[in-house]
Amino acid sequence: MRRVAVTHDPKLDDMALMEAAQSPASTSAHSVRGSTRKKRKERLQEFDVSEQEIERLHGPVGLRIGSRTPPEMAVSIMAEITAVKNKFPLSRVADKSAEQLRVA
């Protein structure tokens, strides 16, 4: 099971991610929208989240499709969720450039 945190406030994201990363009940990845991994890692380390727990996190969530609006971000996130659910290798999507994926 994956969990996705989608907010625009690191204070909310960080608390949810801290709980998820430290939860012994889950071995799955947890995703967050927006924050860069480096900044998120620094903030979580301030809360004594271990390196191993931080490594369980994945982000930012969503396929890179150039989304700018909330509906486009939702499509991006749902596309990644669908790919993971269907066990589709995300590397196949990530390796394609926008030019290769353009619909004529």
Side-chain angles (χ1 to χ4, degrees), residues 2-21 29-35 40 43-44 57-62 73 77 80-81:
R2 275 189 181 240
R3 294 179 180 95
V4 179
V6 184
T7 71
H8 289 287
D9 187 345
K11 290 180 281 186
L12 298 174
D13 285 346
D14 293 348
M15 293 297 112
L17 288 172
M18 182 177 68
E19 289 297 319
H30 308 278
S31 301
V32 66
R33 179 85 188 166
S35 195
R40 185 173 59 244
R43 289 192 311 266
L44 289 173
L57 302 174
H58 164 77
V61 67
M73 290 178 205
I77 292 167
E80 182 174 349
I81 289 171

Side-chain angles (χ1 to χ4, degrees), residues 64 96-103:
R64 296 179 129 198
K96 301 282 186 191
S97 69
E99 185 66 29
Q100 291 171 310
L101 293 173
R102 187 180 331 155
V103 177

Side-chain angles (χ1 to χ4, degrees), residues 1-2 63 77-93:
M1 173 189 244
R2 275 189 181 240
L63 298 181
I77 292 167
M78 288 308 302
E80 182 174 349
I81 289 171
T82 302
V84 169
K85 177 187 86 63
N86 293 332
K87 296 179 176 61
F88 187 84
L90 292 176
S91 61
R92 286 187 57 195
V93 174

Side-chain angles (χ1 to χ4, degrees), residues 17-62:
L17 288 172
M18 182 177 68
E19 289 297 319
Q22 294 178 328
S23 170
S26 177
T27 58
S28 63
H30 308 278
S31 301
V32 66
R33 179 85 188 166
S35 195
T36 65
R37 184 160 178 83
K38 181 180 177 187
K39 289 180 184 176
R40 185 173 59 244
K41 182 177 178 178
E42 290 169 358
R43 289 192 311 266
L44 289 173
Q45 286 174 328
E46 291 176 15
F47 292 108
D48 295 324
V49 178
S50 75
E51 189 74 30
Q52 294 83 2
E53 292 165 335
I54 292 171
E55 288 304 314
R56 294 174 57 201
L57 302 174
H58 164 77
V61 67

